Amino acid sequence: MSSVKVAVRVRPFNSREMSRNAECIIEMEGATTRITNPKMPASAKDAIKSFNFDYSYWSHDPSGSLFHGQDVVYQDLGEEMLQHAFQGYNVCIFAYGQTGAGKSYTMMGKGEKDEGIIPRLCKDLFVKINEDNSPESQYSVEVSYMEIYCERVRDLLNPNAKGNLRVREHPLLGPYVEDLSKLAVTSYADIHDLMDEGNKARTVAATNMNESSSRSHAVFTIIFTQHKHDADSGLTAEKVSKISLVDLAGSERAESTGAKGTRLKEGANINKSLTTLGKVISALAEQSGGGGGGGGGGTNKKKKKGEFIPYRDSVLTWLLRENLGGNSKTAMVAAISPADINYDETLSTLRYADRAKQIVCKAIVNEDSNAKLIRELKEEISRLRNLLKAEGIEVEEGPGGKVTYVRERAASELGRQISTDPKSPGGPLTIAEEAVDQLQENEKLVAEFTETWENKLRRAESIRQQREAVFAEMGVAIKEDGETVGFFQPKKTPHLVNLNPDSSLSECLLYYLKVGLTRIGSPGANIPQDIQLVGSHIINEHCVFQNSDGIVTLKPSPDALCYVNGRKVTCDVTLKTGSRVILGKNHVFRFHHPEQPRERLDDSIKDEGKLSPGSGPADWEYAHSELLEREGVDLKLEMEQKMREMEEQWRREKEEASQAFQQERKKYEDQIESLQKQVMEQSMTMSMISSMTPDEFNQEEDLYVNPIFEAECNWTEREYELASWAFSKWRIHQFTSLRDDLWGNAVFLKEANAISVELKKRVSFQFSLLSSTLYSSFPPDLLPIRDPDEEEERVPRTVVVVEVQDNKNNASHFWSLEKLRQRLELMRHIYNGGGEGFDSPGEETLLCTMEQNPPPRCSQRQRLELMR
């Protein structure tokens, strides 16, 4: 068992970071990498975070003495992994980091003088093969190149593989891509050519689909087989190593990139696969940490060891399952930016790498695997054929080697059984169809394993010719000898070179501009186009390049979008070497004419100071910056004016809404205040009237009358009778009468409790409801006082009483509402006289005397003023 090797590499500042005066926040010392938080003071406790890795490469300052170049990275990682491959282990190297952090540069390099890990490893592979002159040893190398874009797999080496390839899983082989081409190679030149062709196919697809930098994952796989013949025993042993070289897509934040629309969707799919990869790495790290070591917490460790690992949540993690915690020697290169403006992304990458180094892989030597696999696959094929034959199904070889079947019994029990496998692309399948599908899959694998080396070479040559024919049809240039397909400089013929934001996809497509007319348009044009482009705003007959006497002229169609050096052209334009040509929205080219000196920038541009020749080479970024400078000035002013108008309109609407809200608020507050005043006056009046005795009604004292009741009543005799009848009926409703009693005497109850607290008496008063039943009737003193002139004497079933709780003697009594008012007069007298309670005999005598001769009541007007 061995842990994943993790290396971190920091790149120099790019032009964007230098233009923003970015500061370096990365420090490296040995294998330790430190990052400083630019938003915190240097003296803060958590301002600096340290991480320890297997290797830390300082590639920030090329002129420094501690600079680590491509050769150092390859010596530490590439040579070790190549040695493991010769020992028979599976090997994987993958690069991770944000967009533009230097992943592709570390893996592929830039030119022959600055090659990355992949070309150096492939070179050394064939160097070691050629150094072994033993007649008992034979070697074979096969390669495949695929791209994972938006959870879809594309074959970059086979032009006939259209659309999405199916990812399947075999019990012995594990996850694999069905129908992925594996081409035999005999030298490093073959691998180099296939890489160039794969990058061409990737660039064409990326341009046609309007993709951008690092929008997909690229996986380059080398199947390295060693045959060792033992002369003594006469047996031949095989070692099969799978070398996976992965360039992951850049991790991006939507808010920092300003992604929208399709690009935002692409970023979501990429972040989904990278998030799944992070979950897998975290789960494997916890599993590896829980599996080793002693101490307490054994239960938690066992639980972590059996934790589910979500390999199948993403195509990327499913295909890399063996490389992550499985049968593989794995190395990870984390590429980071040194700038403070990328602090969040850099810290996320470092944490990602810190978790990855805890993964433990269980690599084994892959020896004699093919013979065993072929035997087991043949046994499985025989079993499936017998199963189908037993069910009355004859299996035949159809056209193209495809397995077909003929049912002999129409009502076979097997055929009636339906499979509900949700992974079936065409819906539910019968058991017979599933068996045939599995049989066809196994026969494909057997044919692949038993194919001779000569047949593999012939098949690779056939696919190469088909691929070159497809490129030639699209207008992509190929050398006449057919041996090298890649970017090269023709000696005399003018041509166009593609530009792409991804450096690995830039300058790898070449389009010749032949003598005469070269037509450019879409494949659906009525007239065959010499160069076929697919994408946004590309019309059927887009433009024509005329090459006459060494002078190339661009002739755009009336409705075509064509830009030369940032300016939109609608008439004929003569091109010069170095001119930037943009067709449609996303096809960017640089024009080259070998017989012309390189074009220098216009003096007008120099005078404006917007672009300068020293700002960098004429790459994709340069062309787009030029387009924005030329065409985007008016757009910027228009957008600023539009923003000012929108801000002014928003401010005006906000003020109007605020004024309307304040007016409505004041209106409702006045209404609420008026209603509260009326309710308060009415409640006081009702409380006062409910507390009066019948004798007091005869007094001709001026009572306060609510303005609601001041209106003159002009009822007829019939209306009076209806009102009297309604009033007599309404009085017997307990809800209304009880509510009036509670509302009218609440003031007295509150006053009694307040006096009790002031006199420090442990007596409390509260309302209570008593109901009359057959077994417990009301005491006479609790019945309310009724009008003697009332015709019908009806005793209510429920009355409101006051429960007096004597907490000192643990006793409870019930008073009627009338008794509460009488006792409240005595309490007021004692409270005003300065008495402290009923403990002294004098006060008790006074209370008894006051019960017999109650003091005179205050007038109704005084009581009303007192309650107010």
Side-chain angles (χ1 to χ4, degrees):
M1 294 189 299
S2 61
S3 300
V4 173
K5 295 283 185 181
V6 178
V8 175
R9 190 179 191 188
V10 58
R11 60 162 172 78
F13 286 133
N14 58 25
S15 58
R16 171 176 168 269
E17 294 165 348
M18 288 189 291
S19 64
R20 300 180 63 176
N21 298 324
E23 297 182 359
C24 181
I25 58 173
I26 300 297
E27 296 179 3
M28 289 185 176
E29 182 179 354
T32 303
T33 301
R34 299 184 181 90
I35 181 172
T36 304
N37 190 344
K39 300 178 182 178
M40 297 179 63
S43 59
K45 180 179 179 181
D46 298 331
I48 300 178
K49 293 181 172 59
S50 298
F51 299 89
N52 293 321
F53 301 103
D54 296 289
Y55 305 101
S56 293
Y57 298 118
W58 179 258
S59 302
H60 177 62
D61 185 10
S63 61
S65 59
L66 301 177
F67 178 77
H68 295 94
Q70 297 280 65
D71 52 346
V72 178
V73 178
Y74 175 72
Q75 289 173 5
D76 292 339
L77 296 177
E79 290 184 355
E80 179 183 357
M81 292 299 162
L82 183 60
Q83 185 65 31
H84 290 321
F86 271 89
Q87 294 172 359
Y89 294 102
N90 292 335
V91 171
C92 176
I93 303 177
F94 67 95
Y96 175 81
Q98 71 178 107
T99 300
K103 303 182 301 300
S104 299
Y105 175 77
T106 300
M107 297 298 292
M108 295 297 299
K110 192 173 183 180
E112 295 182 359
K113 296 182 180 180
D114 207 9
E115 293 178 335
I117 294 177
I118 294 178
R120 290 172 185 262
L121 187 145
C122 295
K123 276 185 179 180
D124 286 358
L125 173 65
F126 284 99
V127 168
K128 290 191 175 185
I129 290 176
N130 296 330
E131 288 176 353
D132 189 358
N133 297 322
S134 174
E136 291 82 11
S137 300
Q138 292 183 355
Y139 302 93
S140 62
V141 180
E142 298 174 88
V143 298
S144 64
Y145 198 6
M146 65 179 175
E147 177 187 37
I148 303 174
Y149 170 73
C150 288
E151 296 298 302
R152 297 191 299 270
V153 180
R154 299 193 295 214
D155 189 349
L156 298 178
L157 298 182
N158 189 357
N160 295 326
K162 304 294 184 181
N164 182 24
L165 296 183
R166 184 177 179 184
V167 180
R168 308 191 68 164
E169 183 170 7
H170 192 272
L172 300 177
L173 297 176
Y176 70 97
V177 179
E178 188 178 19
D179 297 330
L180 179 65
S181 59
K182 296 179 182 178
L183 305 184
V185 293
T186 57
S187 64
Y188 169 71
D190 295 341
I191 292 183
H192 185 269
D193 293 344
L194 290 176
M195 282 186 184
D196 284 344
E197 293 178 4
N199 288 333
K200 282 178 180 289
R202 189 181 181 193
T203 304
V204 171
T207 308
N208 290 346
M209 299 185 66
N210 195 19
E211 299 172 23
S212 300
S213 172
S214 300
R215 293 289 87 201
S216 61
H217 311 290
V219 182
F220 189 83
T221 306
I222 303 173
I223 308 298
F224 177 48
T225 306
Q226 306 174 68
H227 305 270
K228 299 288 185 179
H229 181 72
D230 188 358
D232 296 334
S233 62
L235 299 177
T236 301
E238 289 185 357
K239 291 182 181 179
V240 181
S241 301
K242 181 180 179 182
I243 306 174
S244 300
L245 306 172
V246 185
D247 184 9
L248 296 177
S251 59
E252 296 183 345
R253 293 173 180 262
E255 63 270 15
S256 62
T257 59
K260 295 180 180 179
T262 305
R263 183 178 174 88
L264 182 62
K265 182 180 178 181
E266 294 170 355
N269 281 287
I270 290 170
N271 288 337
K272 173 190 173 184
S273 60
L274 294 177
T275 301
T276 305
L277 181 61
K279 292 180 180 178
V280 170
I281 289 177
S282 299
L284 289 172
E286 292 179 2
Q287 187 181 85
S288 301
T299 303
N300 293 335
K301 291 176 181 178
K302 290 181 180 178
K303 183 177 180 181
K304 288 181 180 178
K305 190 171 183 180
E307 186 177 352
F308 171 72
I309 300 176
Y311 287 113
R312 285 177 173 258
D313 288 359
S314 172
V315 173
L316 176 68
T317 53
W318 193 11
L319 292 176
L320 297 181
R321 190 183 71 176
E322 287 299 320
N323 303 120
L324 299 172
N327 179 21
S328 176
K329 298 281 188 178
T330 304
M332 171 184 176
V333 180
I336 59 175
S337 166
D340 53 353
I341 58 178
N342 296 322
Y343 170 77
D344 294 331
E345 290 83 355
T346 302
L347 180 60
S348 175
T349 302
L350 291 174
R351 288 174 173 169
Y352 211 97
D354 189 56
R355 289 195 300 266
K357 73 178 183 179
Q358 303 174 24
I359 299 176
V360 176
C361 297
K362 305 175 181 61
I364 60 174
V365 177
N366 302 313
E367 192 169 4
D368 292 333
S369 58
N370 279 0
K372 182 180 178 181
L373 281 177
I374 292 172
R375 187 187 74 252
E376 293 179 351
L377 288 172
K378 286 184 176 180
E379 292 175 356
E380 180 70 11
I381 290 173
S382 178
R383 186 186 66 82
L384 291 172
R385 286 180 180 274
N386 294 334
L387 174 63
L388 294 173
K389 188 174 181 180
E391 294 297 331
I393 300 175
E394 289 295 332
V395 180
E396 300 176 355
E397 294 291 337
K402 185 175 181 180
V403 177
T404 60
Y405 67 95
V406 178
R407 187 187 305 275
E408 294 182 352
R409 294 183 307 189
S412 174
E413 180 181 357
L414 181 65
R416 288 196 299 267
Q417 298 177 3
I418 300 300
S419 168
T420 58
D421 185 6
K423 298 177 183 177
S424 299
L429 298 175
T430 63
I431 300 298
E433 291 171 343
E434 284 187 351
V436 171
D437 184 50
Q438 187 176 358
L439 178 62
Q440 182 177 353
E441 174 191 354
N442 290 339
E443 289 192 342
K444 280 183 181 179
L445 295 175
V446 170
E448 180 181 339
F449 285 126
T450 57
E451 185 179 12
T452 63
W453 183 249
E454 291 76 11
N455 290 336
K456 290 181 179 180
L457 291 176
R458 283 195 294 269
R459 182 165 55 87
E461 178 65 20
S462 174
I463 292 179
R464 184 185 70 82
Q465 294 176 359
Q466 295 176 8
R467 187 168 50 247
E468 291 178 359
V470 171
F471 283 141
E473 182 182 354
M474 296 175 60
V476 180
I478 305 171
K479 270 191 175 181
E480 295 180 357
D481 55 11
E483 293 181 356
T484 303
V485 180
F487 175 70
F488 59 93
Q489 291 281 356
K491 294 182 179 180
K492 296 183 179 180
T493 307
H495 53 275
L496 296 175
V497 179
N498 79 299
L499 300 179
N500 193 281
D502 191 345
S503 59
S504 63
L505 304 181
S506 186
E507 299 186 359
C508 64
L509 296 181
L510 195 67
Y511 299 92
Y512 281 132
L513 302 179
K514 61 185 178 180
V515 177
L517 299 180
T518 301
R519 302 179 184 275
I520 295 182
S522 64
N526 296 328
I527 302 176
Q529 303 295 304
D530 300 312
I531 299 177
Q532 298 179 0
L533 302 178
V534 178
S536 177
H537 295 81
I538 296 294
I539 62 178
N540 292 336
E541 298 179 7
H542 199 83
C543 61
V544 175
F545 286 88
Q546 183 178 4
N547 184 3
S548 177
D549 298 330
I551 299 175
V552 179
T553 305
L554 171 62
K555 297 182 177 182
S557 298
D559 298 331
L561 286 180
C562 298
Y563 299 89
V564 176
N565 295 334
R567 288 191 172 92
K568 185 177 180 180
V569 295
T570 56
C571 57
D572 296 356
V573 176
T574 301
L575 300 180
K576 298 181 180 179
T577 294
S579 298
R580 283 74 58 197
V581 180
I582 301 179
L583 303 180
K585 289 293 186 180
N586 56 306
H587 291 274
V588 185
F589 304 96
R590 185 173 62 238
F591 173 73
H592 283 277
H593 199 312
E595 296 183 352
Q596 287 183 0
R598 182 174 177 82
E599 176 198 20
R600 300 185 61 85
L601 295 177
D602 297 336
D603 296 337
S604 60
I605 301 178
K606 295 179 184 178
D607 297 338
E608 294 174 5
K610 296 177 181 177
L611 293 172
S612 61
S615 61
D619 54 5
W620 183 91
E621 184 177 356
Y622 186 97
H624 269 260
S625 300
E626 183 181 47
L627 176 64
L628 292 177
E629 290 291 337
R630 297 289 184 88
E631 299 291 335
V633 175
D634 296 337
L635 178 63
K636 185 185 298 184
L637 295 177
E638 184 180 351
M639 289 298 295
E640 291 179 355
Q641 182 179 359
K642 191 68 175 178
M643 287 296 296
R644 286 194 297 268
E645 293 177 357
M646 293 177 63
E647 290 177 357
E648 183 66 27
Q649 182 180 0
W650 175 78
R651 191 180 299 108
R652 183 169 59 253
E653 292 178 353
K654 183 180 179 181
E655 292 177 356
E656 294 176 355
S658 178
Q659 293 177 359
F661 172 75
Q662 293 296 336
Q663 293 176 357
E664 291 293 328
R665 178 179 177 182
K666 188 176 184 303
K667 176 182 177 182
Y668 284 114
E669 286 179 350
D670 293 342
Q671 293 180 358
I672 292 173
E673 184 178 358
S674 175
L675 292 175
Q676 287 179 344
K677 184 176 180 181
Q678 293 181 9
V679 170
M680 181 62 70
E681 292 176 352
Q682 182 180 0
S683 63
M684 292 299 180
T685 303
M686 297 302 297
S687 300
M688 180 189 67
I689 294 175
S690 63
S691 63
M692 293 176 61
T693 60
D695 296 337
E696 293 175 345
F697 278 104
N698 298 327
Q699 300 178 7
E700 296 182 356
E701 187 175 355
D702 183 20
L703 295 177
Y704 173 76
V705 180
N706 194 291
I708 299 177
F709 307 112
E710 287 183 350
E712 183 179 359
C713 181
N714 297 322
W715 289 354
T716 62
E717 183 176 357
R718 176 59 179 168
E719 289 174 343
Y720 271 111
E721 292 177 358
L722 291 175
S724 175
W725 174 83
F727 178 71
S728 62
K729 294 296 183 184
W730 184 256
R731 290 185 62 184
I732 65 176
H733 283 277
Q734 294 297 307
F735 173 77
T736 303
S737 60
L738 295 179
R739 184 198 63 183
D740 293 342
D741 290 340
L742 292 172
W743 185 266
N745 294 278
V747 178
F748 303 130
L749 186 74
K750 185 175 181 180
E751 185 179 358
N753 281 314
I755 294 176
S756 175
V757 172
E758 289 292 332
L759 296 180
K760 298 180 180 180
K761 295 299 177 182
R762 299 173 60 188
V763 180
S764 60
F765 305 89
Q766 64 181 11
F767 287 122
S768 181
L769 298 178
L770 294 182
S771 300
S772 175
T773 63
L774 295 175
Y775 305 100
S776 60
S777 58
F778 288 135
D781 57 338
L782 295 182
L783 291 175
I785 300 177
R786 308 190 67 83
D787 189 356
D789 297 335
E790 192 172 333
E791 295 180 358
E792 54 182 54
E793 191 72 21
R794 185 179 182 277
V795 179
R797 296 187 59 186
T798 302
V799 295
V800 179
V801 297
V802 178
E803 182 180 359
V804 184
Q805 295 180 352
D806 187 356
N807 297 325
K808 180 177 181 181
N809 300 319
N810 293 328
S812 179
H813 310 284
F814 292 101
W815 289 354
S816 64
L817 298 178
E818 179 63 24
K819 189 173 183 179
L820 171 65
R821 290 193 288 270
Q822 293 177 2
R823 291 300 181 95
L824 183 60
E825 295 291 347
L826 297 176
M827 294 178 193
R828 290 173 182 163
H829 182 79
I830 295 173
Y831 179 76
N832 294 329
E836 297 184 1
F838 306 116
D839 296 337
S840 62
E843 292 176 352
E844 187 174 340
T845 304
L846 176 61
L847 181 58
C848 296
T849 305
M850 292 183 66
E851 284 184 349
Q852 297 175 0
N853 300 312
R857 301 175 181 269
C858 58
S859 64
Q860 298 297 329
R861 175 66 67 180
Q862 293 175 346
R863 289 180 59 189
L864 183 60
E865 294 297 333
L866 179 62
M867 286 187 288
R868 289 181 179 176

